Amino acid sequence: MKATQLFKSFFDSEKAGGLVLLICTVVSLIISNSAFSGAYLSMWHFEIGSHSADHWINDGLMAIFFLLIGLELEREVYIGELSKIRDAMLPISGALGGMLIPALLYFAFNFGTKTQHGIGIPMATDIAFAIGILSLLGNKVPVSLKIFLTALAVIDDLGAIVLIAVFYTKTIYFTNLIISLSIFGVLLVMNRLKVKILLPYLIGGVFMWYYMLNSGVHATITGVLLAFAIPFGDGSSKTISYQLQHYLHKPVAFIIIPLFALSNTAIVIGKDLIHTISENYSLGIIFGLVLGKPIGIVTFSYLAVKTKLTTLPEDLNWQKIIGVGLLGGIGFTMSIFVTLLAFDDNEIINNSKVMILMASLISGVIGFIWLYKILSNEKNIEIE
């Protein structure tokens, strides 16, 4: 497989972003559980206009994150890993399994309880963290493994986006929704008319976001819609889609996602952690991410290959796919995002975040150790 320059740029920014994300998370947790806890926690609830700082981050800045995800997905569909259906079936199958099995495990623990609405929490993989961990393995990692992980994570992020739009929308204000979708329609017409100036799309995107925000449907959906309205062209560096994706890499990786991490890991870890772990929703999150993700990703990928829907790239094997499956259990960004939408109880939200961090840490450590041993052994064999 050949990796395009933009993919390398995307991978490099996500790699560095993952490390920054890890640092921000650790710093936030330390401050939240220190003498400065009160001031730090209240900082994120400071009112800016009619909304708190964390609300602007979660509903505003994260729309830009989803715009980048949408642009990357669009590129994968047109000229990347998802452009040929046979090649695409490997990450698509893995992503489907990686969403379905964790959801079923969570549901099994929470069926009939007030927390069953959190079924979407263990369904998505955090791209930045997962790639950040993979990058620690250096040049031992084959390009096809990087592409598989990236494509899989982008696909299940899309699954999470659909989940948010369909299942986590409580009340719909149809007038605002129609206005927002009408603006989207105008942008699509501009695309068809080959309008290749970026500014009108961005202005339209801002208005589309505003009306979506006030429609009841989560405003971050706007980012993905806007991405597919912006002309892709031939995908070269001269196209506005390429340029926008290039410009967004660093602000998203080094400003938006770190801010999201800082504000959403402002968590006071209670003394009754053992009791918290035994809660149904905690077990659903931990088992869903740590076990459900690798089981789903590996099983569905294996079935896709065995039924000849797709083939395994020459430089990949099932041991490496298991490693990606383990890293898939790093939920973080999207898992926390869905938690905020799924629950209203602050204690459950807080405890769920702790479980997500715990499950992501376990998945990241096991995934890294597994791949390190597999890739090191492979290199030793090649040398011998």
Side-chain angles (χ1 to χ4, degrees):
M1 293 184 184
K2 292 183 178 179
T4 64
Q5 186 59 44
L6 192 60
F7 171 78
K8 290 178 181 177
S9 175
F10 179 84
F11 184 85
D12 289 342
S13 69
E14 291 294 334
K15 174 177 68 177
L19 299 177
V20 172
L21 192 55
L22 178 60
I23 294 168
C24 287
T25 301
V26 172
V27 169
S28 183
L29 287 170
I30 290 173
I31 298 175
S32 298
N33 293 274
S34 71
F36 303 100
S37 175
Y40 183 69
L41 295 176
S42 63
M43 177 180 76
W44 299 111
H45 298 292
F46 179 75
E47 291 287 325
I48 303 173
S50 58
H51 300 289
S52 62
D54 62 348
H55 189 268
W56 280 111
I57 292 168
N58 294 335
D59 283 32
L61 292 181
M62 286 300 285
I64 301 173
F65 165 77
F66 280 104
L67 171 58
L68 179 60
I69 294 298
L71 290 169
E72 176 60 21
L73 179 63
E74 182 184 42
R75 178 161 296 275
E76 291 289 340
V77 168
Y78 283 121
I79 61 173
E81 180 72 2
L82 308 179
S83 60
K84 295 179 181 177
I85 189 63
R86 186 169 172 78
D87 292 339
M89 285 309 298
L90 184 63
I92 288 174
S93 300
L96 287 174
M99 289 186 281
L100 181 61
I101 301 303
L104 288 174
L105 279 174
Y106 182 93
F107 192 67
F109 280 105
N110 292 271
F111 177 69
T113 70
K114 65 177 182 179
T115 54
Q116 70 176 17
H117 202 48
I119 191 171
I121 295 172
M123 288 177 65
T125 298
D126 188 282
I127 296 177
F129 256 142
I131 291 178
I133 297 297
L134 192 64
S135 70
L136 297 176
L137 295 164
N139 57 12
K140 297 176 183 177
V141 182
V143 172
S144 58
L145 193 65
K146 299 176 184 178
I147 293 175
F148 176 67
L149 174 59
T150 303
L152 182 144
V154 168
I155 293 165
D156 75 5
D157 270 359
L158 178 64
I161 291 164
V162 172
L163 193 78
I164 290 167
V166 176
F167 295 105
Y168 292 110
T169 297
K170 296 175 182 176
T171 303
I172 298 179
Y173 299 95
F174 285 99
T175 300
N176 288 330
L177 180 61
I178 290 170
I179 292 172
S180 182
L181 294 178
S182 297
I183 295 171
F184 176 57
V186 171
L187 296 180
L188 289 177
V189 171
M190 289 169 54
N191 184 320
R192 297 294 295 174
L193 294 175
K194 302 188 184 304
V195 176
K196 297 180 180 179
I197 302 171
L198 183 58
L199 187 59
Y201 292 97
L202 296 182
I203 293 173
V206 170
F207 282 101
M208 184 166 62
W209 171 84
Y210 173 80
Y211 284 105
M212 190 69 78
L213 178 67
N214 292 283
S215 72
V217 177
H218 206 273
T220 51
I221 303 298
T222 307
V224 179
L225 295 178
L226 178 60
F228 280 87
I230 294 171
F232 182 79
D234 60 2
S236 70
S237 59
K238 295 180 180 179
T239 61
I240 60 174
S241 175
Y242 181 102
Q243 291 168 3
L244 180 60
Q245 188 178 348
H246 179 73
Y247 292 144
L248 288 178
H249 279 155
K250 287 182 173 56
V252 168
F254 300 114
I255 299 175
I256 293 174
I257 295 301
L259 278 173
F260 178 86
L262 288 169
S263 67
N264 287 287
T265 56
I267 306 166
V268 177
I269 299 176
K271 295 178 181 179
D272 57 345
L273 187 59
I274 301 299
H275 172 71
T276 300
I277 293 175
S278 66
E279 295 283 357
N280 287 357
Y281 60 89
S282 298
L283 294 171
I285 291 170
I286 292 174
F287 279 93
L289 287 172
V290 177
L291 291 180
K293 271 292 184 180
I295 291 172
I297 290 170
V298 175
T299 301
F300 276 59
S301 298
Y302 181 80
L303 291 174
V305 171
K306 286 301 177 182
T307 55
K308 302 190 184 303
L309 287 174
T310 186
T311 55
L312 204 62
E314 290 182 5
D315 56 350
L316 288 189
N317 56 40
W318 291 111
Q319 290 181 316
K320 293 174 186 174
I321 297 294
I322 290 171
V324 167
L326 290 166
L327 292 182
I330 303 173
F332 200 77
T333 306
M334 287 304 299
S335 294
I336 290 176
F337 198 80
V338 173
T339 298
L340 299 172
L341 299 175
F343 304 134
D344 296 319
D345 187 308
N346 287 330
E347 183 180 357
I348 293 177
I349 291 172
N350 192 76
N351 290 340
S352 294
K353 288 179 181 180
V354 174
M355 294 304 108
I356 291 165
L357 291 174
M358 188 181 296
S360 297
L361 177 62
I362 294 169
S363 296
V365 170
I366 295 175
F368 175 81
I369 293 172
W370 176 276
L371 283 172
Y372 179 80
K373 288 186 174 181
I374 296 300
L375 295 173
S376 294
N377 290 339
E378 190 175 79
K379 196 154 189 175
N380 290 335
I381 291 171
E382 288 175 1
I383 292 172
E384 292 171 4

